[in-house]
Amino acid sequence: MTLVKTLLDIPELRLRLRTGSALLDREVSRIYVTELPDPSRYVSAGEVVLTGLLWWRSPGDAEPFVSALAKAGVAALAASGADTGGIPEDVLTSCARHRIPLIEVPADLSFAVVTERVVLALAAGRGREPGGARKRLLSAAGAPLPDLLRQGAEELGTACWVVSATGRLVAGTAPAPPEATWFVPGRDAAVHGGFTLLPVGGRFAVPWVLAVRGTEPGELAEELAGLLGLARARADQVRRSDNRMAEPLFQALETGTGDVVSAAVAAGLREPARVVLLRTPGEETGLDSELLAELVEPAAAVPAGRIGRDACALVPDDEHWPEDWTGRTRAALSNVDSVIGFSRAFVGLGGPVALDGLGGAVQEARYALELAARRGERISVVAGADIPVHRLLVAGTPDELRRSVRDRILGPLLAYDTAQGTDLVRTVRLYLECSSSPTAAAKALHVHVNTLRYRIARASELLGADLTDFATQVDVYLALQA
């Protein structure tokens, strides 16, 4: 049995009790991390709720949060004041009023460390028999996730899989059965299609699920799901450390200065390479980076970083890169949206290029991303390779130069249309898009072919150029695109 006071005695956590000294004999069932202003749908009796107080904005915010914990019967609230300048006074007051022990977590202590130590304390307090399954599972707690999953499957005597909300198979102890339909349940275990699905814990925007073949795996499966959450948290810490190592590369790509090739080689990127940009407007900070890390796994060689306001990943174009990446990415984002819901998500893809072409691939990905954002769809994925070259060239031209080119080449035509109320600009555009075929253009405009020829001749006079000349056609069409 693990009590609240047991957690206070863990020396490396340096937890400090702020209120509720008479309530420390409450039994702890598990730990749950949340930053929701109203966690009432997700908390349950016996939990220690861990929070960074990101939901707290002003005095008065604590009352609905703490009252929800009290109504659920949680064992204690553990809070870090790192982002609020300490524990707010109304949080202390509300916890005292609702008889919730309040534990202060040191500002310099990672939540992953807190979660890991609490889970281990809970495992130690369950009275496992010497040499039993739980003891063997606990002994593998520090192993990489695939090794831990294999140990868990061995102790459970059945196959297990870990699946992301994107639909990605993170790890498995057997080939995924074709009849299995994976989905991410809520906070509690669920049974679906002959599998038990348990949420893998952790403070992550994109959830994972542990799928165990069978419908009654028992308490050991829940313990495995908790340990898998710790393994994910450790891997995430490594990823964040790697992200910092790659920052010089992303900074060079964003500013256009510095030796991009040397920075890419130092970061371990191989050529040819692709650039992936992801934007989730209006969503919480960090969702885009976590989503992108899921979408490019296992292809990414360089951890995700940022270029401007967008999350960015650099990926070698090798055997790990799927042929239908845009379609798969669109499906993966739809899967996540059905689980956690978000307002919008846009992805742009540039490349493949050699390392000395990364700057251009970033520009290509940026234009593809902006095009995805303008499509009016909630989820949109665009690859630069699917965009006509002339559009990419025009998109990379500064606005002032585009306006200058448009006015210089098309000025007389635009002025004529304005003065006469005609639409010769549209006629010229359709004529060029119909491969300079008078017959095809006339059909598209629903006019006689002689009328079309007259209009093109008039437009040529106004432009001072021959619209049947190929070089002139290229110049005019680029000006129309600008």
Side-chain angles (χ1 to χ4, degrees):
M1 179 184 298
T2 302
L3 308 178
V4 174
K5 62 184 178 184
T6 307
L7 307 183
L8 292 169
D9 292 334
I10 301 174
E12 57 263 45
L13 295 186
R14 296 175 281 119
L15 302 177
R16 175 188 173 200
L17 182 67
R18 298 297 303 274
T19 186
S21 58
L23 308 169
L24 301 183
D25 287 331
R26 291 181 174 179
E27 185 175 353
V28 177
S29 60
R30 55 185 171 179
I31 186 167
Y32 172 58
V33 183
T34 185
E35 300 298 345
L36 294 174
D38 180 9
S40 55
R41 292 176 55 192
Y42 304 103
V43 293
S44 56
E47 291 181 327
V48 169
V49 175
L50 181 59
T51 179
L53 298 175
L54 299 182
W55 48 267
W56 190 90
R57 292 288 182 269
S58 60
D61 289 347
E63 180 59 27
F65 184 90
V66 176
S67 63
L69 304 188
K71 185 175 181 180
V74 303
L77 172 64
S80 169
D83 296 316
T84 53
I87 304 295
E89 189 62 33
D90 66 328
V91 176
L92 283 164
T93 303
S94 294
C95 285
R97 179 185 307 118
H98 291 285
R99 294 178 55 78
I100 298 291
L102 175 60
I103 300 169
E104 184 171 2
V105 178
D108 62 344
L109 191 61
S110 163
F111 274 21
V113 174
V114 176
T115 304
E116 181 171 3
R117 292 299 297 125
V118 171
V119 168
L120 293 177
L122 291 171
R126 286 178 179 153
R128 299 183 302 277
E129 70 281 7
R134 290 187 175 89
K135 184 176 181 180
R136 292 190 295 270
L137 182 60
L138 184 58
S139 68
L145 189 145
D147 296 337
L148 175 60
L149 185 65
R150 280 193 293 271
Q151 182 66 41
E154 183 178 333
E155 301 302 339
L156 290 168
T158 188
C160 299
W161 300 265
V162 175
V163 184
S164 165
T166 61
R168 178 175 70 90
L169 180 63
V170 178
T173 61
E179 74 275 9
T181 302
W182 308 116
F183 73 100
V184 178
R187 290 206 51 239
D188 298 314
V191 175
H192 181 74
F195 300 89
T196 299
L197 307 174
L198 302 100
V200 173
R203 198 182 187 186
F204 296 96
V206 182
W208 286 1
V209 63
L210 167 63
V212 180
R213 190 190 297 277
T215 57
E216 296 182 1
E219 205 172 89
L220 190 62
E222 293 187 6
E223 197 160 309
L224 174 60
L227 293 176
L228 290 168
L230 299 182
R232 184 185 184 186
R234 287 194 299 271
D236 184 66
Q237 285 185 316
V238 173
R239 179 176 63 84
R240 291 176 185 274
S241 177
D242 290 343
N243 285 356
R244 290 191 290 271
M245 296 293 291
E247 282 178 2
L249 173 56
F250 290 106
Q251 184 176 1
L253 289 172
E254 181 175 359
T255 61
T257 60
D259 190 340
V260 171
V261 174
S262 295
V265 171
L269 183 62
R270 305 182 305 278
E271 61 182 13
R274 296 180 181 270
V275 176
V276 186
L277 295 178
L278 171 68
R279 182 182 303 165
T280 51
E283 298 298 332
E284 64 183 53
T285 302
L287 173 62
D288 53 0
S289 295
E290 192 175 317
L291 267 176
L292 186 56
E294 286 280 343
L295 294 176
V296 299
E297 183 70 27
V302 176
R306 304 202 73 82
I307 293 183
R309 59 175 171 163
D310 305 316
C312 176
L314 306 175
V315 186
D317 185 44
D318 57 18
E319 69 277 5
H320 295 295
W321 185 262
E323 292 184 6
D324 184 26
W325 189 84
T326 55
R328 293 188 183 196
T329 298
R330 195 176 297 110
L333 288 172
S334 297
N335 287 342
V336 178
D337 182 41
S338 67
V339 175
I340 64 174
F342 45 72
S343 56
R344 292 170 295 169
F346 309 127
V347 179
L349 175 65
V353 295
L355 295 185
D356 59 2
L358 280 175
V362 168
Q363 296 301 319
E364 182 182 1
R366 276 177 167 165
Y367 180 65
L369 179 63
E370 296 300 336
L371 181 60
R374 291 196 298 269
R375 282 185 168 178
E377 303 169 357
R378 289 184 56 252
I379 296 174
S380 183
V381 183
V382 176
D386 296 331
I387 304 173
V389 173
H390 66 270
R391 290 191 181 181
L392 285 175
L393 292 175
V394 170
T397 305
D399 290 344
E400 290 184 4
L401 178 57
R402 276 191 281 174
R403 284 193 293 270
S404 175
V405 169
R406 180 199 62 191
D407 293 342
R408 175 169 59 83
I409 295 179
L410 301 177
L413 200 61
L414 293 167
Y416 181 85
D417 276 347
T418 300
Q420 301 297 321
T422 56
D423 198 359
L424 282 181
V425 169
R426 179 168 178 264
T427 298
V428 171
R429 182 191 297 274
L430 279 172
Y431 170 70
L432 295 176
E433 290 178 347
C434 289
S435 302
S436 305
S437 167
T439 303
K443 184 176 181 180
L445 287 166
H446 305 290
V447 299
H448 193 274
V449 68
N450 290 336
T451 301
L452 189 282
R453 288 193 175 97
Y454 168 78
R455 291 181 182 179
I456 294 301
R458 182 66 179 128
S460 295
E461 291 176 10
L462 291 166
L463 295 173
D466 182 4
L467 280 174
T468 62
D469 174 70
F470 177 72
T472 299
Q473 291 174 348
V474 172
D475 288 345
V476 171
Y477 192 69
L478 288 176
L480 288 166
Q481 293 297 317

